[in-house]
Amino acid sequence: MSTSTRRTRAESRVDKFGERQRELARSALATLAERGYANTSLRDIASNSDFTHGVLHYYFADKNELIIFGVREYKAECVTRYDAAIDGSENVDDLAKRFSAAMATSLTDEAPMHRLWYDMRAQSYFDEVFRPAVGEIEQGLEAMIWRMVTRHSEFTGRPPVLSPPVAYAIFDGLFQQALFRWFTGDQGSADALAAQVAAIIVAMTAKP
């Protein structure tokens, strides 16, 4: 057997392992998102999915590894959707409309998943095992927000008035507040979020 053939087979096994991990994580995140990190064990996840506890343990060392893997994958998917809104925009108003709509839709359609992310982020204050992944995800989200700010600046020809960390803090803060209101039963929180985000996008570059 040639070296290239062995390498190809090894890569295929790695790809299959990773795909299986993603499949398991997607199934597990639904339970974690509904019950929360502290209230869910691997056995709970197994009992609410098509996979046994033994299978979950084969692919993930523990609950922490599973939630880190799953949330990282989910947030990466979120970033691609926001990037599509940014790249598809044609002017400032269109950017504000598309990006604010993407945030509002993500809130209404995936609120439990976002709650799980904030749960994991809060856990990182107490458990250092989460900190590298949380830091990585935060950097990705901040970079995505900055791509939106940069796109806005390109449309207006004016420099941003916000730094990357400040821009991220503003939009993340608005989303987190809207998420809390959503879970209290405020059905208007998504529309309010969209209006707030659109207003900030329009106003975030320096005046000529």
Side-chain angles (χ1 to χ4, degrees):
M1 183 185 299
S2 67
T3 301
S4 61
T5 299
R6 286 195 296 270
R7 185 184 301 116
T8 299
R9 290 185 176 180
E11 291 172 348
S12 177
R13 286 195 295 270
V14 171
D15 290 343
K16 289 180 179 178
F17 187 88
E19 181 54 40
R20 186 62 164 168
Q21 279 188 311
R22 286 187 285 274
E23 181 184 0
L24 291 168
R26 283 192 293 269
S27 176
L29 287 184
T31 300
L32 282 163
E34 288 298 328
R35 302 182 61 169
Y37 169 82
N39 298 320
T40 310
S41 67
L42 276 182
R43 291 191 182 279
D44 294 327
I45 294 168
S47 67
N48 285 279
S49 72
D50 296 328
F51 308 105
T52 66
H53 180 260
V55 168
L56 289 173
H57 239 311
Y58 176 77
Y59 286 93
F60 298 99
D62 53 28
K63 180 179 67 173
N64 292 345
E65 184 177 340
L66 188 154
I67 189 175
I68 288 169
F69 181 93
V71 171
R72 183 188 281 121
E73 289 280 310
Y74 169 70
K75 281 299 183 178
E77 292 176 5
C78 285
V79 167
T80 62
R81 292 198 293 271
Y82 285 120
D83 280 340
I86 295 167
D87 296 340
S89 60
E90 299 178 354
N91 52 53
V92 169
D93 290 338
D94 192 37
L95 176 64
K97 179 180 179 181
R98 287 173 182 266
F99 197 81
S100 61
M103 289 191 74
T105 299
S106 190
L107 173 67
T108 58
D109 292 357
E110 300 170 333
M113 294 299 298
H114 293 295
R115 178 174 60 183
L116 180 61
W117 154 242
Y118 287 118
D119 188 8
M120 175 175 150
R121 192 167 77 174
Q123 289 293 330
S124 72
Y125 285 96
F126 303 97
D127 192 338
E128 64 181 14
V129 71
F130 292 108
R131 291 172 193 166
V134 167
E136 175 189 323
I137 293 170
E138 295 260 63
Q139 288 177 0
L141 294 172
E142 182 180 305
M144 176 272 294
I145 292 293
W146 193 245
R147 288 193 291 275
M148 182 271 292
V149 174
T150 301
R151 182 74 165 167
H152 185 282
S153 184
E154 292 171 353
F155 285 138
T156 63
R158 300 193 298 269
V161 297
L162 304 173
S163 67
V166 171
Y168 172 58
I170 290 172
F171 288 100
D172 179 66
L174 287 173
F175 190 89
Q176 190 171 9
Q177 290 174 354
L179 183 67
F180 177 79
R181 293 195 299 271
W182 178 263
F183 278 109
T184 65
D186 182 359
Q187 298 299 307
S189 58
D191 289 339
L193 173 65
Q196 292 168 340
V197 168
I200 290 175
I201 290 175
V202 170
M204 69 185 174
T205 53
K207 298 299 181 182

